């Protein structure tokens, strides 16, 4: 029997500028957690530690302008094969 990695759960990093604990349905990551939770291992935090963890994908939810250091690190991660998914929101559209 030859098995590939289809049975393994993907590591997905969730990064957002801010979250609203008082109104969880308006939290930028709420629906992403609901959709991916059953199929992936989710981790949340700042961008730099998430890049160090080497996830399969990074989701930026409603992130405005990134600091130059984070932007350079993210760019090199993408060039080395990382998958970035961005979700727009008020902070992203302002910048």
């Amino acid at each position: 029997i030859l098995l590939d990695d289809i049975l393994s759960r993907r590591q997905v990093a969730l990064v957002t500028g801010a979250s609203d604990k008082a109104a969880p349905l308006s939290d930028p990551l709420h629906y992403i957690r609901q959709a991916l939770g059953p199929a992936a291992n989710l981790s949340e935090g700042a961008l730099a530690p998430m890049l160090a963890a080497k996830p399969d994908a990074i989701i930026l939810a409603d992130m405005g302008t990134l600091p130059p250091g984070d932007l350079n690190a993210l760019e090199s991660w993408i060039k080395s094969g990382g998958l970035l998914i961005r979700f727009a929101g008020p902070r992203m559209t302002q910048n």
Side-chain angles (χ1 to χ4, degrees), residues 19-64:
S19 63
D20 188 0
K21 300 296 182 194
L25 294 179
S26 65
D27 181 3
L29 295 175
H30 174 76
Y31 294 102
I32 297 169
R33 282 187 212 105
Q34 295 296 321
L36 295 179
N41 293 332
L42 305 177
S43 56
E44 296 182 35
L47 184 58
M50 295 296 109
L51 285 170
K54 300 187 184 327
D56 295 308
I58 293 179
I59 297 177
L60 296 181
D62 195 18
M63 291 285 293

Side-chain angles (χ1 to χ4, degrees), residues 2-3 5 10 21-22 27 50 52 62 70 79 85 88 92:
L2 178 62
L3 297 175
D5 64 349
R10 300 290 179 196
K21 300 296 182 194
D27 181 3
M50 295 296 109
D62 195 18
D70 285 351
K79 286 181 180 178
I85 303 167
M92 185 177 170

Side-chain angles (χ1 to χ4, degrees), residues 1-11 38-41 56:
I1 297 174
L2 178 62
L3 297 175
D4 60 3
D5 64 349
I6 196 166
L7 298 177
S8 66
R9 291 172 56 94
R10 300 290 179 196
Q11 301 294 325
N41 293 332
D56 295 308

